């Protein structure tokens, strides 16, 4: 029970980070100070960005694709493959990821960071799209994207609505020894819609329901 006040404060902090991330990012990128000739590059973010430990020592998250997405992937023959430490679920139903102080961290400028990712392996065509190094920010889910081994840089791969999940961030999960949202819906971003269509031919319209995140952070 003693953990609950800490959890509430942590949830409030996370909400504040989500809401403040765009402003902090802008503040962190003023005109850069000139680097000393011959010296190392200047880190423009170091003045305002710092790492905070994740919510709790351990936990896990289930990112479960919607029924339509699962059916489309299976019908096409696309295989979802995990990128360590994230694991793919059987039947293309989604991915599972461990969370906690040893895996993840919060950066006020770059969002909540999750290492690893997953690959959409279109066996029929041989194309592969890998979404990795995932960051949750106020405007949605950003990630590095690799297509057939070629890095595409960071992209907005999914969106969500703050009012749908912020009230549930600190939902008590007594049977699991922690707290976390059971309902956090994610939606297809314009970039993801276009990329999946180009690579696999699958039509996922921007704004369509993509998946739900059910996460629990354990303190016991």
């Amino acid at each position: 029970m003693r953990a609950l006040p800490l959890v509430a404060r942590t949830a409030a902090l996370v909400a504040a980070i989500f809401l403040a991330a765009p402003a902090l990012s802008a503040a962190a990128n003023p005109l850069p100070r000139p680097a000393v000739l011959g010296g190392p590059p200047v880190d423009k973010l170091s003045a305002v960005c710092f790492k905070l430990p994740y919510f709790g020592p351990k936990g896990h998250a289930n990112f479960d694709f919607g029924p339509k997405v699962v059916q489309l992937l299976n019908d096409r023959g696309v295989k979802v493959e995990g990128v360590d430490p994230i694991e793919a679920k059987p039947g293309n139903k989604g991915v599972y990821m461990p969370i906690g102080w040893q895996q993840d961290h919060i950066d006020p400028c770059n969002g909540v960071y999750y290492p690893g990712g997953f690959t959409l392996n279109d066996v029929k065509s041989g194309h592969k799209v890998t979404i990795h190094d995932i960051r949750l920010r106020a405007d949605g889910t950003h990630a590095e994207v690799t297509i057939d081994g070629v890095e595409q840089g960071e992209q907005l791969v999914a969106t969500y609505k703050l009012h749908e999940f912020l009230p549930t961030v600190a939902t008590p999960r007594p049977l699991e020894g922690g707290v976390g949202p059971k309902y956090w819906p994610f939606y297809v971003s314009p970039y993801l819609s276009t990329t999946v269509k180009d690579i696999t031919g699958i039509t996922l319209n921007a704004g369509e329901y993509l998946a739900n995140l059910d996460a629990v952070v354990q303190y016991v």
Side-chain angles (χ1 to χ4, degrees):
M1 294 298 293
R2 294 179 180 177
L4 291 180
L6 173 60
V7 170
R9 290 196 297 271
T10 303
L13 173 61
V14 173
I17 289 172
F18 275 122
L19 295 172
L24 282 171
S25 295
N29 287 278
L31 292 175
R33 292 181 289 110
V36 177
L37 187 62
V42 174
D43 182 2
K44 293 181 289 183
L45 300 181
S46 61
V48 294
C49 292
F50 52 90
K51 290 182 180 181
L52 296 171
Y54 198 64
F55 312 99
K58 61 180 181 177
H60 64 269
N62 290 292
F63 190 72
D64 296 316
F65 297 131
K68 177 182 176 181
V69 174
V70 174
Q71 182 177 349
L72 287 171
L73 292 173
N74 289 336
D75 288 348
R76 168 69 183 185
V78 174
K79 184 178 180 181
V80 179
E81 303 170 344
V83 177
D84 189 62
I86 293 177
E87 303 172 10
K89 293 188 172 185
N92 290 334
K93 292 183 178 179
V95 297
Y96 167 89
M97 51 187 165
I99 56 178
W101 290 341
Q102 299 303 314
Q103 285 85 19
D104 319 308
H105 67 265
I106 302 170
D107 184 320
C109 291
N110 292 312
V112 179
Y113 171 74
Y114 294 91
F118 60 91
T119 296
L120 299 176
N121 181 1
D122 185 21
V123 179
K124 184 179 294 186
S125 68
H127 292 302
K128 292 184 178 181
V129 178
T130 299
I131 296 170
H132 60 97
D133 292 296
I134 301 164
R135 292 175 172 85
L136 305 184
R137 298 183 186 143
D139 61 335
T141 304
H142 295 252
E144 298 294 327
V145 177
T146 304
I147 299 178
D148 295 336
V150 180
E151 293 290 344
Q152 307 297 309
E154 185 181 283
Q155 305 290 340
L156 178 66
V157 295
T159 61
Y160 39 72
K161 302 169 185 177
L162 293 176
H163 71 272
E164 287 186 330
F165 77 87
L166 282 180
T168 70
V169 167
T171 299
R173 309 284 287 269
L175 297 180
E176 297 167 274
V179 298
K182 288 188 176 183
Y183 178 67
W184 183 338
F186 286 64
Y187 303 95
V188 178
S189 73
Y191 174 82
L192 185 65
S193 174
T194 300
T195 302
V196 170
K197 177 72 173 179
D198 290 344
I199 298 298
T200 69
I202 292 176
T203 299
L204 286 177
N205 295 320
E208 276 193 282
Y209 177 71
L210 174 65
N212 180 65
L213 181 67
D214 178 352
V216 59
V217 180
Q218 298 170 319
Y219 288 88
V220 178

